[in-house]
Coordinates of all heavy atoms in Angstrom, one line a residue:
M320 N 252.8 94.3 130.7 CA 252.6 92.8 130.8 C 253.8 92.1 131.4 O 253.7 91.2 132.2 CB 252.3 92.3 129.4 CG 252.0 90.9 129.3 SD 250.5 90.6 130.1 CE 250.2 88.9 129.8
V321 N 255.0 92.6 131.1 CA 256.2 91.9 131.6 C 256.4 92.2 133.1 O 256.9 91.3 133.8 CB 257.4 92.5 130.8 CG1 258.7 91.9 131.4 CG2 257.4 92.0 129.3
E322 N 255.8 93.3 133.5 CA 255.9 93.6 134.9 C 255.1 92.6 135.8 O 255.5 92.2 136.9 CB 255.3 95.0 135.3 CG 256.1 96.1 134.6 CD 255.7 96.4 133.2 OE1 254.6 95.9 132.7 OE2 256.4 97.0 132.5
H323 N 254.1 92.0 135.2 CA 253.3 91.0 135.9 C 254.2 89.7 136.1 O 254.1 89.1 137.2 CB 252.0 90.7 135.2 CG 251.0 91.8 135.1 ND1 250.6 92.3 134.0 CD2 250.5 92.5 136.1 CE1 249.8 93.4 134.2 NE2 249.7 93.4 135.6
Y324 N 254.9 89.4 135.0 CA 255.8 88.2 135.2 C 256.9 88.5 136.2 O 257.3 87.6 136.9 CB 256.4 87.9 133.8 CG 255.5 87.4 132.8 CD1 255.2 88.1 131.6 CD2 254.7 86.2 133.0 CE1 254.4 87.6 130.7 CE2 253.8 85.7 132.1 CZ 253.7 86.4 130.9 OH 252.8 85.9 130.0
V325 N 257.4 89.7 136.2 CA 258.5 90.0 137.2 C 257.9 89.9 138.6 O 258.5 89.4 139.5 CB 259.0 91.4 136.9 CG1 260.0 91.9 138.0 CG2 259.8 91.4 135.6
L326 N 256.7 90.4 138.8 CA 256.1 90.4 140.1 C 255.8 88.9 140.5 O 256.1 88.5 141.6 CB 254.8 91.2 140.1 CG 254.0 91.2 141.4 CD1 254.8 91.8 142.5 CD2 252.7 91.8 141.3
L327 N 255.3 88.1 139.6 CA 255.1 86.7 139.9 C 256.4 86.0 140.2 O 256.5 85.2 141.1 CB 254.3 86.0 138.7 CG 254.1 84.5 138.9 CD1 253.2 84.3 140.1 CD2 253.5 84.0 137.6
S328 N 257.4 86.2 139.4 CA 258.7 85.6 139.6 C 259.3 86.0 141.0 O 259.8 85.2 141.7 CB 259.7 86.1 138.6 OG 260.9 85.5 138.8
S329 N 259.1 87.3 141.4 CA 259.6 87.7 142.7 C 258.8 87.0 143.8 O 259.4 86.6 144.8 CB 259.4 89.2 142.8 OG 260.1 89.9 141.9
I330 N 257.5 86.9 143.7 CA 256.7 86.2 144.7 C 257.1 84.7 144.8 O 257.3 84.3 145.9 CB 255.2 86.4 144.4 CG1 254.8 87.8 144.6 CG2 254.4 85.4 145.2 CD1 253.4 88.1 144.0
L331 N 257.3 84.1 143.7 CA 257.7 82.7 143.7 C 259.1 82.5 144.4 O 259.3 81.6 145.1 CB 257.7 82.1 142.3 CG 256.4 81.8 141.7 CD1 256.5 81.4 140.2 CD2 255.6 80.8 142.5
F332 N 260.0 83.4 144.0 CA 261.4 83.3 144.6 C 261.3 83.6 146.1 O 262.0 82.8 146.8 CB 262.3 84.3 143.9 CG 263.7 84.1 144.2 CD1 264.5 83.2 143.5 CD2 264.3 84.7 145.3 CE1 265.8 82.9 143.8 CE2 265.7 84.5 145.6 CZ 266.4 83.6 144.9
T333 N 260.5 84.5 146.5 CA 260.4 84.8 148.0 C 259.8 83.6 148.7 O 260.3 83.2 149.7 CB 259.6 86.0 148.2 OG1 260.1 87.1 147.5 CG2 259.4 86.4 149.6
I334 N 258.8 83.0 148.1 CA 258.2 81.8 148.7 C 259.2 80.7 148.9 O 259.3 80.0 149.9 CB 256.9 81.3 148.0 CG1 255.8 82.4 148.2 CG2 256.5 80.0 148.5 CD1 254.6 82.1 147.3
G335 N 260.0 80.5 147.8 CA 261.0 79.4 147.8 C 262.1 79.7 148.8 O 262.5 78.8 149.5
A336 N 262.5 81.0 148.9 CA 263.6 81.3 149.9 C 263.1 81.2 151.3 O 263.8 80.7 152.2 CB 264.0 82.8 149.7
I337 N 261.9 81.6 151.6 CA 261.3 81.4 152.9 C 261.2 79.9 153.3 O 261.5 79.5 154.4 CB 260.0 82.2 153.1 CG1 260.2 83.7 153.1 CG2 259.2 81.8 154.3 CD1 259.0 84.5 152.9
G338 N 260.7 79.2 152.3 CA 260.5 77.7 152.5 C 261.9 77.1 152.8 O 261.9 76.2 153.6
F339 N 262.9 77.5 152.1 CA 264.2 76.9 152.3 C 264.8 77.2 153.7 O 265.3 76.4 154.3 CB 265.2 77.4 151.3 CG 266.6 76.7 151.4 CD1 266.8 75.4 151.0 CD2 267.6 77.4 152.0 CE1 268.1 74.8 151.1 CE2 268.8 76.8 152.1 CZ 269.1 75.5 151.7
V340 N 264.6 78.4 154.1 CA 265.1 78.9 155.4 C 264.3 78.4 156.6 O 264.9 77.9 157.6 CB 265.2 80.4 155.4 CG1 265.6 80.9 156.9 CG2 266.2 80.9 154.4
V341 N 263.0 78.4 156.5 CA 262.1 78.0 157.6 C 262.0 76.6 157.9 O 262.1 76.1 159.0 CB 260.7 78.7 157.4 CG1 259.8 78.2 158.5 CG2 260.9 80.2 157.4
R342 N 261.8 75.8 156.8 CA 261.6 74.4 157.0 C 262.8 73.6 157.2 O 263.9 74.0 156.7 CB 260.8 73.8 155.7 CG 259.5 74.5 155.4 CD 258.5 74.3 156.5 NE 258.2 72.9 156.8 CZ 257.2 72.2 156.2 NH1 256.3 72.9 155.4 NH2 257.0 71.0 156.4
R343 N 262.7 72.5 158.0 CA 263.9 71.7 158.3 C 263.8 70.4 157.5 O 264.8 69.6 157.6 CB 263.9 71.4 159.8 CG 264.2 72.7 160.5 CD 265.6 73.2 160.3 NE 265.9 74.4 160.8 CZ 266.4 75.5 160.2 NH1 266.8 75.3 158.9 NH2 266.6 76.6 160.8
N344 N 262.8 70.0 156.9 CA 262.7 68.8 156.1 C 263.5 69.0 154.8 O 263.3 70.0 154.1 CB 261.2 68.5 155.8 CG 261.0 67.2 155.1 OD1 261.9 66.7 154.5 ND2 259.8 66.7 155.3
V345 N 264.4 68.1 154.6 CA 265.3 68.3 153.4 C 264.5 68.2 152.1 O 264.9 68.9 151.1 CB 266.4 67.2 153.5 CG1 267.3 67.3 152.3 CG2 267.2 67.3 154.7
L346 N 263.5 67.4 152.0 CA 262.7 67.2 150.8 C 262.0 68.6 150.5 O 261.9 69.0 149.4 CB 261.7 66.1 150.9 CG 262.3 64.7 151.0 CD1 261.2 63.7 151.3 CD2 263.1 64.4 149.7
V347 N 261.4 69.2 151.5 CA 260.8 70.5 151.3 C 261.8 71.6 150.9 O 261.6 72.4 150.1 CB 260.1 70.9 152.6 CG1 259.5 72.4 152.5 CG2 259.0 69.9 153.0
Q348 N 263.1 71.4 151.5 CA 264.1 72.4 151.1 C 264.5 72.2 149.6 O 264.7 73.1 148.9 CB 265.3 72.2 152.0 CG 265.1 72.7 153.3 CD 266.3 72.6 154.3 OE1 267.1 71.6 154.1 NE2 266.4 73.4 155.2
L349 N 264.5 70.9 149.1 CA 264.8 70.7 147.7 C 263.6 71.3 146.8 O 264.0 71.8 145.8 CB 264.9 69.2 147.5 CG 266.3 68.5 147.9 CD1 266.2 67.0 147.7 CD2 267.4 69.1 147.1
M350 N 262.4 71.1 147.3 CA 261.3 71.6 146.5 C 261.4 73.2 146.5 O 261.1 73.8 145.5 CB 260.0 71.2 147.1 CG 259.7 69.7 146.8 SD 258.0 69.2 147.2 CE 258.1 69.4 149.0
S351 N 261.8 73.8 147.6 CA 262.0 75.2 147.6 C 263.1 75.7 146.7 O 262.9 76.7 146.0 CB 262.3 75.7 149.1 OG 261.3 75.4 149.9
I352 N 264.1 74.9 146.6 CA 265.2 75.3 145.6 C 264.7 75.2 144.2 O 264.9 76.1 143.3 CB 266.4 74.4 145.8 CG1 267.1 74.7 147.1 CG2 267.4 74.5 144.6 CD1 268.2 73.7 147.5
E353 N 263.9 74.2 143.9 CA 263.3 74.1 142.6 C 262.3 75.2 142.3 O 262.3 75.8 141.2 CB 262.5 72.8 142.4 CG 263.3 71.5 142.5 CD 264.2 71.3 141.3 OE1 263.8 71.7 140.2 OE2 265.3 70.8 141.5
L354 N 261.6 75.7 143.3 CA 260.7 76.8 143.1 C 261.5 78.1 142.8 O 261.1 78.9 141.9 CB 259.9 77.0 144.4 CG 258.7 78.0 144.3 CD1 257.7 77.6 143.2 CD2 258.0 78.2 145.6
M355 N 262.6 78.2 143.5 CA 263.5 79.4 143.2 C 264.1 79.4 141.9 O 264.1 80.4 141.1 CB 264.6 79.5 144.3 CG 264.1 80.0 145.6 SD 265.3 80.4 146.8 CE 266.0 78.8 147.2
L356 N 264.5 78.2 141.4 CA 265.1 78.1 140.1 C 264.0 78.3 139.0 O 264.3 79.0 138.0 CB 265.7 76.7 139.9 CG 266.9 76.4 140.6 CD1 267.3 74.9 140.5 CD2 268.1 77.3 140.2
N357 N 262.8 77.9 139.2 CA 261.8 78.2 138.3 C 261.4 79.6 138.2 O 261.0 80.2 137.2 CB 260.5 77.3 138.5 CG 260.7 75.8 138.1 OD1 261.4 75.6 137.1 ND2 260.2 74.9 138.8
A358 N 261.5 80.3 139.4 CA 261.2 81.7 139.4 C 262.3 82.5 138.6 O 262.0 83.4 137.8 CB 261.2 82.2 140.9
V359 N 263.5 82.0 138.6 CA 264.6 82.6 137.8 C 264.3 82.3 136.4 O 264.5 83.2 135.5 CB 265.9 82.1 138.3 CG1 267.0 82.5 137.3 CG2 266.3 82.6 139.7
N360 N 263.8 81.1 136.0 CA 263.5 80.8 134.7 C 262.4 81.7 134.1 O 262.5 82.2 133.0 CB 263.1 79.4 134.5 CG 264.2 78.4 134.6 OD1 265.4 78.8 134.4 ND2 263.9 77.2 134.9
L361 N 261.4 81.9 134.9 CA 260.3 82.9 134.5 C 260.8 84.3 134.3 O 260.5 84.9 133.3 CB 259.2 82.8 135.5 CG 258.1 83.7 135.3 CD1 257.3 83.2 134.0 CD2 257.1 83.7 136.5
M362 N 261.7 84.7 135.1 CA 262.3 86.1 135.0 C 263.1 86.1 133.7 O 263.1 87.1 133.0 CB 263.2 86.4 136.2 CG 263.9 87.7 136.1 SD 262.8 89.1 136.2 CE 262.5 89.1 138.0
L363 N 264.0 85.1 133.4 CA 264.8 85.1 132.2 C 264.0 85.2 131.0 O 264.2 86.0 130.0 CB 265.7 83.9 132.2 CG 266.9 83.9 133.2 CD1 267.5 82.5 133.2 CD2 267.9 85.0 132.7
V364 N 262.9 84.4 130.9 CA 262.1 84.3 129.7 C 261.3 85.7 129.6 O 261.2 86.2 128.5 CB 261.1 83.1 129.7 CG1 260.1 83.2 128.6 CG2 261.9 81.8 129.7
A365 N 260.9 86.2 130.7 CA 260.1 87.5 130.6 C 261.1 88.6 130.2 O 260.7 89.4 129.3 CB 259.5 87.8 131.9
Q366 N 262.3 88.6 130.7 CA 263.2 89.7 130.2 C 263.6 89.5 128.8 O 263.8 90.5 128.1 CB 264.4 89.6 131.2 CG 264.2 90.1 132.6 CD 263.8 91.5 132.7 OE1 264.2 92.4 131.9 NE2 262.8 91.8 133.6
N367 N 263.8 88.3 128.4 CA 264.1 88.1 127.0 C 263.0 88.5 126.1 O 263.2 89.1 125.0 CB 264.4 86.6 126.8 CG 265.0 86.3 125.4 OD1 265.8 87.1 124.9 ND2 264.5 85.3 124.7
R368 N 261.8 88.4 126.5 CA 260.6 88.8 125.7 C 260.6 90.3 125.6 O 260.2 90.8 124.6 CB 259.3 88.3 126.3 CG 258.1 88.6 125.5 CD 256.9 88.0 126.1 NE 255.8 88.5 125.2 CZ 254.6 87.9 125.4 NH1 254.4 87.0 126.3 NH2 253.6 88.4 124.6
M369 N 261.0 91.0 126.7 CA 260.9 92.4 126.8 C 262.1 93.1 126.0 O 262.0 94.0 125.3 CB 261.0 92.9 128.2 CG 260.8 94.4 128.4 SD 260.5 94.8 130.0 CE 262.2 95.2 130.5
H370 N 263.3 92.4 126.0 CA 264.5 93.1 125.6 C 265.1 92.5 124.2 O 266.0 93.1 123.7 CB 265.6 93.0 126.6 CG 265.4 93.9 127.7 ND1 265.3 95.2 127.7 CD2 265.1 93.5 129.1 CE1 265.1 95.7 128.9 NE2 264.9 94.7 129.7
G371 N 264.6 91.5 123.7 CA 265.5 91.0 122.7 C 264.8 90.2 121.6 O 263.8 89.7 121.7
D372 N 265.6 90.1 120.5 CA 265.2 89.2 119.4 C 265.9 87.9 119.5 O 265.6 87.0 118.8 CB 265.7 89.9 118.1 CG 264.9 91.2 117.9 OD1 263.7 91.4 118.3 OD2 265.4 92.1 117.2
S373 N 267.0 87.9 120.4 CA 267.7 86.6 120.5 C 267.0 85.7 121.4 O 266.0 86.1 122.1 CB 269.1 86.9 121.0 OG 269.1 87.4 122.3
M374 N 267.5 84.5 121.6 CA 266.9 83.5 122.4 C 267.7 83.2 123.6 O 267.7 82.1 124.2 CB 266.7 82.2 121.6 CG 265.9 82.3 120.4 SD 264.1 82.7 120.7 CE 263.6 81.0 121.2
N375 N 268.4 84.2 124.1 CA 269.4 84.0 125.2 C 268.7 83.6 126.5 O 269.1 82.8 127.2 CB 270.2 85.3 125.5 CG 271.2 85.5 124.4 OD1 271.6 84.6 123.7 ND2 271.7 86.7 124.3
G376 N 267.5 84.3 126.8 CA 266.8 84.0 128.0 C 266.3 82.5 128.0 O 266.3 81.8 129.0
Q377 N 265.8 82.1 126.9 CA 265.3 80.7 126.8 C 266.4 79.7 126.9 O 266.3 78.6 127.5 CB 264.5 80.5 125.5 CG 263.1 81.0 125.4 CD 263.1 82.4 125.1 OE1 264.1 83.1 124.9 NE2 261.9 83.0 124.9
M378 N 267.6 80.1 126.3 CA 268.8 79.2 126.4 C 269.2 79.1 127.8 O 269.6 77.9 128.3 CB 269.9 79.7 125.5 CG 269.6 79.5 124.0 SD 270.9 79.9 122.8 CE 272.1 80.8 123.7
F379 N 269.3 80.2 128.6 CA 269.7 80.1 130.0 C 268.7 79.3 130.8 O 269.0 78.6 131.7 CB 269.9 81.5 130.5 CG 271.2 82.1 130.2 CD1 271.2 83.3 129.5 CD2 272.3 81.5 130.6 CE1 272.4 83.9 129.2 CE2 273.6 82.1 130.3 CZ 273.6 83.3 129.6
A380 N 267.3 79.6 130.5 CA 266.3 78.8 131.2 C 266.5 77.3 131.0 O 266.3 76.5 131.9 CB 265.0 79.3 130.8
F381 N 266.8 76.9 129.7 CA 266.9 75.5 129.4 C 268.2 75.0 130.2 O 268.1 73.8 130.7 CB 267.2 75.3 127.9 CG 267.3 73.8 127.5 CD1 266.2 73.0 127.5 CD2 268.5 73.4 127.2 CE1 266.3 71.7 127.1 CE2 268.6 72.1 126.8 CZ 267.6 71.2 126.8
F382 N 269.2 75.7 130.3 CA 270.4 75.3 131.0 C 270.0 75.1 132.5 O 270.5 74.1 133.1 CB 271.5 76.3 130.8 CG 272.8 76.0 131.6 CD1 273.6 74.9 131.1 CD2 273.1 76.7 132.7 CE1 274.7 74.6 131.8 CE2 274.3 76.4 133.4 CZ 275.1 75.4 133.0
I383 N 269.3 76.1 133.1 CA 268.9 76.0 134.5 C 268.0 74.8 134.7 O 268.1 74.1 135.7 CB 268.2 77.3 134.9 CG1 269.2 78.4 135.0 CG2 267.5 77.2 136.2 CD1 268.7 79.8 135.3
I384 N 267.1 74.4 133.8 CA 266.3 73.2 133.9 C 267.1 72.0 134.0 O 266.9 71.1 134.8 CB 265.3 73.2 132.7 CG1 264.2 74.3 133.0 CG2 264.6 71.8 132.7 CD1 263.3 74.4 131.7
A385 N 268.2 71.9 133.1 CA 269.1 70.8 133.1 C 269.9 70.7 134.5 O 270.0 69.6 135.0 CB 270.1 70.9 131.9
V386 N 270.4 71.8 134.9 CA 271.0 71.8 136.2 C 270.1 71.4 137.3 O 270.4 70.7 138.3 CB 271.7 73.2 136.5 CG1 272.2 73.4 137.9 CG2 272.8 73.5 135.5
A387 N 268.8 71.9 137.3 CA 267.9 71.6 138.3 C 267.5 70.1 138.3 O 267.4 69.5 139.4 CB 266.6 72.4 138.1
A388 N 267.5 69.4 137.1 CA 267.3 68.0 137.1 C 268.4 67.2 137.7 O 268.2 66.3 138.5 CB 267.0 67.6 135.6
A389 N 269.6 67.7 137.4 CA 270.8 67.0 137.9 C 270.8 67.2 139.5 O 271.1 66.3 140.2 CB 272.1 67.5 137.3
E390 N 270.5 68.4 139.9 CA 270.5 68.7 141.3 C 269.4 67.9 142.1 O 269.7 67.4 143.1 CB 270.2 70.2 141.5 CG 270.0 70.7 143.0 CD 268.5 70.8 143.3 OE1 267.7 71.1 142.4 OE2 268.2 70.7 144.5
A391 N 268.3 67.7 141.4 CA 267.3 66.9 142.1 C 267.7 65.4 142.2 O 267.5 64.8 143.2 CB 266.0 67.0 141.3
A392 N 268.4 64.9 141.2 CA 268.8 63.5 141.2 C 269.8 63.3 142.3 O 269.7 62.4 143.1 CB 269.3 63.1 139.8
V393 N 270.8 64.2 142.3 CA 271.9 64.1 143.3 C 271.3 64.4 144.7 O 271.6 63.6 145.7 CB 273.1 65.1 143.0 CG1 274.0 65.1 144.2 CG2 273.7 64.7 141.7
G394 N 270.5 65.4 144.8 CA 269.8 65.7 146.2 C 269.0 64.5 146.7 O 269.1 64.2 147.9
L395 N 268.2 63.9 145.8 CA 267.4 62.8 146.3 C 268.2 61.6 146.7 O 267.9 60.9 147.6 CB 266.3 62.5 145.2 CG 265.2 63.5 145.1 CD1 264.3 63.1 143.9 CD2 264.4 63.6 146.4
A396 N 269.3 61.4 146.0 CA 270.2 60.3 146.3 C 270.8 60.6 147.7 O 270.9 59.6 148.5 CB 271.3 60.1 145.3
I397 N 271.3 61.8 148.0 CA 271.8 62.1 149.3 C 270.7 62.0 150.4 O 271.0 61.5 151.5 CB 272.4 63.6 149.2 CG1 273.6 63.5 148.4 CG2 272.7 64.0 150.7 CD1 274.2 64.9 148.1
V398 N 269.5 62.4 150.1 CA 268.4 62.3 151.1 C 268.1 60.8 151.4 O 267.9 60.5 152.5 CB 267.2 63.1 150.6 CG1 266.0 62.7 151.5 CG2 267.4 64.5 150.6
L399 N 268.1 60.0 150.3 CA 267.8 58.6 150.6 C 268.9 57.9 151.4 O 268.6 57.1 152.3 CB 267.7 57.9 149.2 CG 266.3 58.0 148.5 CD1 266.3 57.4 147.2 CD2 265.2 57.5 149.4
S400 N 270.1 58.2 151.1 CA 271.2 57.6 151.9 C 271.2 58.2 153.3 O 271.5 57.4 154.3 CB 272.6 57.8 151.2 OG 272.9 59.1 151.3
F401 N 270.9 59.4 153.4 CA 270.8 60.0 154.9 C 269.6 59.3 155.6 O 269.7 59.1 156.8 CB 270.6 61.5 154.7 CG 270.4 62.2 156.0 CD1 271.5 62.2 156.9 CD2 269.3 62.7 156.5 CE1 271.4 62.9 158.2 CE2 269.1 63.3 157.8 CZ 270.2 63.4 158.5
Y402 N 268.5 59.1 154.9 CA 267.4 58.5 155.5 C 267.7 57.0 156.0 O 267.3 56.6 157.1 CB 266.1 58.5 154.6 CG 264.9 57.9 155.3 CD1 264.2 58.6 156.2 CD2 264.5 56.6 154.9 CE1 263.1 58.1 156.9 CE2 263.4 56.1 155.5 CZ 262.7 56.8 156.5 OH 261.6 56.3 157.1
R403 N 268.5 56.4 155.1 CA 268.9 55.0 155.5 C 269.7 55.0 156.8 O 269.7 54.1 157.6 CB 269.6 54.3 154.4 CG 268.7 54.0 153.3 CD 269.4 53.2 152.2 NE 268.5 52.9 151.1 CZ 268.9 52.6 149.9 NH1 270.2 52.5 149.6 NH2 268.1 52.3 149.0
L404 N 270.6 56.0 157.0 CA 271.5 56.0 158.1 C 270.7 56.5 159.3 O 271.0 56.0 160.4 CB 272.7 57.0 157.8 CG 273.7 56.5 156.8 CD1 274.7 57.6 156.5 CD2 274.4 55.3 157.3
R405 N 270.0 57.5 159.3 CA 269.4 58.2 160.4 C 267.8 57.9 160.6 O 267.3 58.4 161.6 CB 269.6 59.7 160.4 CG 271.1 60.1 160.3 CD 271.6 60.2 161.7 NE 273.0 60.6 161.7 CZ 273.5 61.7 162.2 NH1 272.8 62.6 162.6 NH2 274.8 61.9 162.1
A406 N 267.2 57.4 159.6 CA 265.8 57.3 159.6 C 265.0 58.6 159.8 O 264.0 58.7 160.5 CB 265.3 56.2 160.6
S407 N 265.6 59.6 159.2 CA 265.0 61.0 159.4 C 265.4 61.8 158.2 O 266.5 61.5 157.6 CB 265.4 61.7 160.7 OG 265.0 62.9 160.7
V408 N 264.6 62.8 157.8 CA 265.0 63.7 156.7 C 265.1 65.1 157.3 O 265.1 66.1 156.5 CB 264.1 63.7 155.6 CG1 264.2 62.4 154.8 CG2 262.7 63.9 156.0
D409 N 265.3 65.3 158.6 CA 265.5 66.5 159.2 C 266.9 67.1 159.0 O 267.9 66.4 159.3 CB 265.1 66.4 160.7 CG 265.0 67.7 161.4 OD1 264.9 68.8 160.7 OD2 265.0 67.8 162.6
S410 N 267.0 68.3 158.5 CA 268.3 68.8 158.2 C 269.1 69.2 159.5 O 270.3 69.3 159.4 CB 268.1 70.1 157.3 OG 267.5 71.1 158.0
D411 N 268.4 69.3 160.6 CA 269.2 69.6 161.8 C 270.0 68.4 162.3 O 271.0 68.5 162.9 CB 268.2 70.0 163.0 CG 267.7 71.4 162.8 OD1 268.3 72.2 162.1 OD2 266.6 71.7 163.3
E412 N 269.6 67.2 161.8 CA 270.3 66.0 162.2 C 271.5 65.7 161.2 O 272.2 64.7 161.4 CB 269.3 64.8 162.2 CG 268.4 64.9 163.4 CD 267.4 63.8 163.4 OE1 267.8 62.7 162.8 OE2 266.4 63.9 164.0
A413 N 271.6 66.5 160.2 CA 272.6 66.2 159.2 C 273.9 67.1 159.5 O 274.4 67.8 158.7 CB 272.1 66.6 157.8
D414 N 274.3 66.9 160.7 CA 275.5 67.7 161.1 C 276.8 67.0 160.8 O 277.8 67.6 160.7 CB 275.4 68.0 162.6 CG 275.3 66.7 163.4 OD1 275.0 65.7 162.9 OD2 275.3 66.9 164.7
A415 N 276.8 65.7 160.6 CA 277.9 65.0 160.2 C 277.6 64.0 159.1 O 276.9 63.1 159.3 CB 278.6 64.2 161.4
L416 N 278.1 64.2 157.9 CA 277.8 63.3 156.8 C 278.8 62.3 156.5 O 279.3 62.1 155.4 CB 277.6 64.2 155.5 CG 276.3 65.1 155.6 CD1 276.3 65.9 154.3 CD2 275.1 64.3 155.7
K417 N 279.3 61.6 157.6 CA 280.2 60.6 157.4 C 279.7 59.4 158.3 O 278.8 59.6 159.2 CB 281.6 61.0 157.8 CG 281.7 61.5 159.3 CD 283.1 62.0 159.5 CE 283.1 62.5 161.0 NZ 284.4 63.1 161.3
H418 N 280.2 58.2 158.0 CA 279.7 57.0 158.8 C 280.2 57.1 160.2 O 281.2 57.4 160.6 CB 280.3 55.8 158.2 CG 279.7 55.5 156.8 ND1 278.4 55.6 156.5 CD2 280.4 55.3 155.7 CE1 278.3 55.3 155.2 NE2 279.4 55.2 154.7

């Protein structure tokens, strides 16, 4: 049963990694990062279910969710300010992040 979660987590992480590398839209890249973080969360919870009586996997997953929320807030703020400057969210145009 845990193998199914590991397989699903691997597939989600791969989709997120490919989305981050292939797409140039910064918003899609942020969503790809979130997908990869959620794949890691799924793996942590599945491994904790397989290996332990402790709640370490769930605690790490909760910590990753908190970091992902902060990353989304900061990332969206950067994307909004970049959009105001360049009127685009294309990551190829983000070669200089100064005025």
Side-chain angles (χ1 to χ4, degrees):
M320 184 69 175
V321 175
E322 295 85 16
H323 295 121
Y324 291 120
V325 172
L326 179 65
L327 177 64
S328 175
S329 301
I330 291 170
L331 289 175
F332 191 87
T333 303
I334 291 171
I337 290 171
F339 183 79
V340 171
V341 171
R342 299 297 300 264
R343 293 292 172 229
N344 188 332
V345 178
L346 293 174
V347 174
Q348 288 178 335
L349 283 175
M350 288 189 295
S351 297
I352 291 171
E353 294 291 328
L354 189 61
M355 288 189 287
L356 290 173
N357 284 325
V359 170
N360 285 339
L361 180 63
M362 177 70 80
L363 285 170
V364 172
Q366 291 296 324
N367 188 42
R368 183 175 179 172
M369 188 171 91
H370 288 294
D372 297 330
S373 66
M374 302 290 284
N375 290 338
Q377 282 86 354
M378 289 184 349
F379 280 121
F381 183 73
F382 180 73
I383 289 174
I384 289 169
V386 170
E390 173 259 335
V393 172
L395 287 175
I397 291 171
V398 169
L399 281 175
S400 69
F401 179 71
Y402 182 76
R403 286 182 183 165
L404 289 175
R405 302 270 177 115
S407 173
V408 290
D409 191 14
S410 65
D411 288 337
E412 295 181 18
D414 53 353
L416 292 178
K417 57 184 178 182
H418 296 308

